[in-house]
Amino acid sequence: MLHVLTLSSLFPDSTRPNFGIFVERQTAGLARREGVAVTVVAPIGLPAWPLRRGLRFAAMAALPREEIWRGLRVYRPRFTTVPGTKGRWHVRALVAALIPLLDRLHGEMPFDVIDASFFFPDGPAAVALGRRYGVPVSIKARGADIHLWGREGATAGQVLAAARGADGMLAVSGAMRDDMIALGMRGERIAVHHTGIDHDRFRPQDRSEAKRAAGVTGPLIVSLGALIPRKGHDIVLDAVARLPGVNVWIAGEGPERASLTARIVSLGIGDRARLLGGVAHDDMPHLLAMADVMALASSSEGLANAWVEALACGTPIVVTGAGGAGEVVTGPTAGRIVARDAAAFAAGIAAVLADAPDPAAVRASVENFSWDTNAATLHAHLAGLVARRQASSG
């Protein structure tokens, strides 16, 4: 039996059901593998008490410290974050919070390997804990953990130290692996580990009927992601403003909501643009299958799950060349990779709408992405780290 400790500060809970949903799906797939037992530790960072006022932090603080979450036993210890320090002390606080819990769990049923599913702060903490318990450590890079924390002055050194101390590393795309190498990480120790997709849930539907039922007349563009500058929803709005009769729906929540609302008004597209707010992941297949195009103007990505989910629904995508976009958009059937500006996005969307590909062909472009493949690859990777550690100590 391979006992895996999954450590992830990026994991859904009742206050944030879509937060890190792909980590949950990956972990659930691993837990279903024969001969694998998984314990999930999903720490929650909260500011010091005087700064915790407000409904969001109050709800997070009230989460259970242990629960069965969608079939997985999940522990949710708290650690203290200090605003204004740019993450400098996150790892120290996280390790201090984890040791009492992990000492107990390791004593009850020793784990064989630590699987850190995000590079910061999980990665450096996992390396420290791996040394404490004498087990190998794997760290996975997904996007902002490398592009932000790996370049931020207060945390870049911690990220690189974790890379040196890890027994193995994973990257969500070949492009992410290249970015890790550019930071100084050893390429021979980094394997590409693509995301999965539930092909039974994400599949083509009758697009015309779905749009008719939703009261949509004309082409529909959907953009997904947190309402933050990095996702570029403003660029998609500007692009759609150049395309008469084209509708755009944006699914996500975040600090840019007010500015995006104002932009819709200033562009004069209030009759064909909607901010949907947060959309439950269970509702994503219908939304994506309804769209004629999924457009995402990200400035940086690892390999966005939204790309793969849209394609599995038979919906072509128009995206920037961020991260692993070229590993997903491998031809015009899947969509277009364009420059990160409104004119380029408008042209890319118009080109796809003018020559709409067959949804079945679009879906076929991601047929190799699956959670079963994802879990099998992760299982082999983690088991290999354990075997190498045992061989070197024997």
Side-chain angles (χ1 to χ4, degrees):
M1 176 67 70
L2 177 70
H3 185 194
V4 180
L5 175 73
T6 295
L7 175 62
S8 180
S9 59
L10 191 67
F11 203 86
D13 56 53
S14 61
T15 71
R16 303 168 295 175
N18 289 352
F19 183 66
I21 190 77
F22 40 87
V23 177
E24 176 204 296
R25 298 294 162 89
Q26 172 178 295
T27 306
L30 179 65
R32 288 193 296 268
R33 299 279 299 173
E34 185 176 353
V36 177
V38 176
T39 298
V40 181
V41 176
I44 296 173
L46 294 170
W49 181 81
L51 301 176
R52 290 186 191 179
R53 297 171 183 170
L55 294 177
R56 181 169 70 94
F57 287 134
M60 292 169 65
L63 289 168
R65 292 181 177 268
E66 177 183 347
E67 65 176 321
I68 302 299
W69 175 265
R70 297 173 182 166
L72 295 168
R73 181 168 296 280
V74 180
Y75 297 86
R76 303 187 188 275
R78 279 45 164 178
F79 69 101
T80 301
T81 60
V82 183
T85 62
K86 298 184 177 180
R88 185 183 304 275
W89 311 115
H90 284 13
V91 173
R92 180 181 297 181
L94 178 55
V95 171
L98 290 175
I99 284 176
L101 171 63
L102 297 191
D103 279 356
R104 175 170 67 84
L105 295 179
H106 192 57
E108 293 171 353
M109 187 170 75
F111 37 85
D112 302 302
V113 60
I114 300 176
D115 174 29
S117 63
F118 200 61
F119 227 100
F120 189 86
D122 311 12
V127 169
L129 295 164
R131 291 175 183 147
R132 181 179 180 86
Y133 303 112
V135 299
V137 170
S138 171
I139 310 174
K140 186 166 185 177
R142 296 182 177 274
D145 48 354
I146 295 298
H147 298 145
L148 173 61
W149 301 111
R151 293 169 179 160
E152 172 62 52
T155 56
Q158 297 179 64
V159 168
L160 282 176
R164 290 192 295 269
D167 296 85
M169 292 174 282
L170 297 171
V172 294
S173 65
M176 176 59 67
R177 181 178 180 273
D178 291 342
D179 290 344
M180 295 164 73
I181 293 171
L183 286 181
M185 300 182 188
R186 291 171 55 185
E188 70 273 13
R189 297 175 61 202
I190 307 170
V192 174
H193 184 223
H194 282 152
T195 188
I197 183 72
D198 185 341
H199 288 277
D200 291 332
R201 293 180 59 240
F202 290 90
R203 58 187 310 109
Q205 301 175 20
D206 186 327
R207 182 174 292 146
S208 297
E209 177 57 32
K211 288 199 298 183
R212 185 161 45 249
V216 177
T217 302
L220 174 62
I221 313 305
V222 166
S223 186
L224 305 179
L227 307 187
I228 55 177
R230 179 169 63 87
K231 293 297 184 180
H233 297 303
D234 55 333
I235 295 172
V236 175
L237 288 174
D238 290 353
V240 169
R242 298 168 182 238
L243 301 170
V246 174
N247 304 277
V248 58
W249 289 3
I250 298 176
E253 197 52 85
E256 294 290 300
R257 184 179 183 88
S259 65
L260 292 174
T261 299
R263 198 177 202 94
I264 289 171
V265 173
S266 68
L267 291 170
I269 56 173
D271 59 332
R272 51 195 180 97
R274 289 178 58 187
L275 299 182
L276 302 179
V279 174
H281 197 255
D282 287 345
D283 296 330
M284 283 297 181
H286 180 69
L287 176 62
L288 288 170
M290 188 193 315
D292 296 279
V293 175
M294 196 285 284
L296 191 57
S298 304
S299 60
S300 68
E301 290 285 355
L303 191 149
N305 284 63
W307 300 341
V308 182
E309 291 171 347
L311 293 171
C313 289
T315 300
I317 64 178
V318 176
V319 297
T320 65
E327 297 165 51
V328 176
V329 183
T330 56
T333 297
R336 302 290 190 278
I337 295 175
V338 300
R340 193 174 188 257
D341 63 66
F345 264 81
I349 291 169
V352 173
L353 293 177
D355 188 17
D358 175 45
V362 176
R363 177 178 171 82
S365 68
V366 290
E367 62 184 359
N368 292 330
F369 288 81
S370 79
W371 286 122
D372 286 343
T373 300
N374 176 279
T377 303
L378 181 58
H379 184 184
H381 168 74
L382 296 175
L385 297 184
V386 173
R388 285 196 291 275
R389 173 65 67 91
Q390 292 174 343
S392 64
S393 61

